[in-house]
Amino acid sequence: MYGLVNKAVEEMARAASGDEGWERIRRRAEVEEQAFIGMTAYPDDITYRLVGAASAELGISPEEVLVAFGEHWVRYTAEQGWGPVLASAGDTLPEFLLGLDALHARVRLMMPALRPPSFRCTDVQETSLVLHYYSPRDGMAPMVLGLLRGLGVRFGVDVETVHAAVKEQGADHDEFLVTWHDPA
């Protein structure tokens, strides 16, 4: 994964447990890098180790770390200069979700080693859709749950998500039933 991902993990960890907590996470994960370069590709194993170490340090499951990270990622990428790219993907939650693969294709022009997941939307209704998630990486589906929550904040809607098909339980890919509505 690119350093941008690991930098976001670091920022989230520092916010949750301070500089000392981040250092404990980094050491527990056996990560030698003192700083990550955003546009540099790193082995996926570094990110997985950071998630595992954050889980142990914060006393929450790796899945909960990934959900929190997904929520954080939406805000973090916008603040790191990717806001215009995100804005080009759509003005509403369903537009954005329908354009995720095109968004990743644009990002890949700047990050040629990027191995993004793929998304497909089906059963698109006025306030719901089914999001199909295909990833070359195992165990990242909880991050999608967090991304959907973060996107709800970005677009000013309440999002409810059901993880309807789980790859790790035998499905060929993950599916999420996503519904949204204006906040009450």
Side-chain angles (χ1 to χ4, degrees), residues 126-142:
E126 187 174 327
T127 60
S128 68
L129 57 76
V130 176
L131 182 67
H132 301 261
Y133 168 69
Y134 307 86
S135 178
R137 296 176 178 93
D138 291 330
M140 299 301 286

Side-chain angles (χ1 to χ4, degrees), residues 19-162:
D19 294 341
E20 299 81 17
W22 164 247
E23 284 305 313
R24 287 190 301 272
I25 290 168
R26 191 181 62 74
R27 283 192 305 272
R28 184 185 297 246
E30 299 179 355
V31 171
E32 298 296 323
E33 288 82 355
Q34 295 291 319
F36 295 103
I37 300 168
M39 298 297 280
T40 298
Y42 293 86
D44 288 354
D45 183 58
I46 290 175
T47 307
Y48 283 116
R49 291 191 333 250
L50 287 170
V51 168
S55 169
E57 177 69 25
L58 301 173
I60 60 177
S61 71
E63 292 78 14
E64 290 171 301
V65 171
L66 287 169
V67 170
F69 179 69
E71 289 182 67
H72 178 75
W73 181 250
V74 174
R75 181 188 53 78
Y76 180 82
T77 52
E79 291 173 355
Q80 294 301 308
W82 294 90
V85 175
L86 295 173
S88 73
D91 294 327
T92 65
L93 178 66
E95 284 178 10
F96 190 90
L97 296 176
L98 285 161
L100 275 172
D101 279 357
L103 170 71
H104 283 128
R106 286 191 295 278
V107 172
R108 193 162 189 192
L109 294 173
M110 296 172 271
M111 300 175 149
L114 185 69
R115 291 183 10 231
S118 179
F119 295 88
R120 184 172 56 91
C121 297
T122 60
D123 301 322
V124 179
Q125 305 294 316
E126 187 174 327
T127 60
S128 68
L129 57 76
V130 176
L131 182 67
H132 301 261
Y133 168 69
Y134 307 86
S135 178
R137 296 176 178 93
D138 291 330
M140 299 301 286
M143 183 177 167
V144 176
L145 293 168
L147 288 169
L148 291 165
R149 288 181 192 168
L151 288 169
V153 172
R154 178 177 177 82
F155 292 109
V157 294
D158 290 333
V159 175
E160 296 174 20
T161 307
V162 175

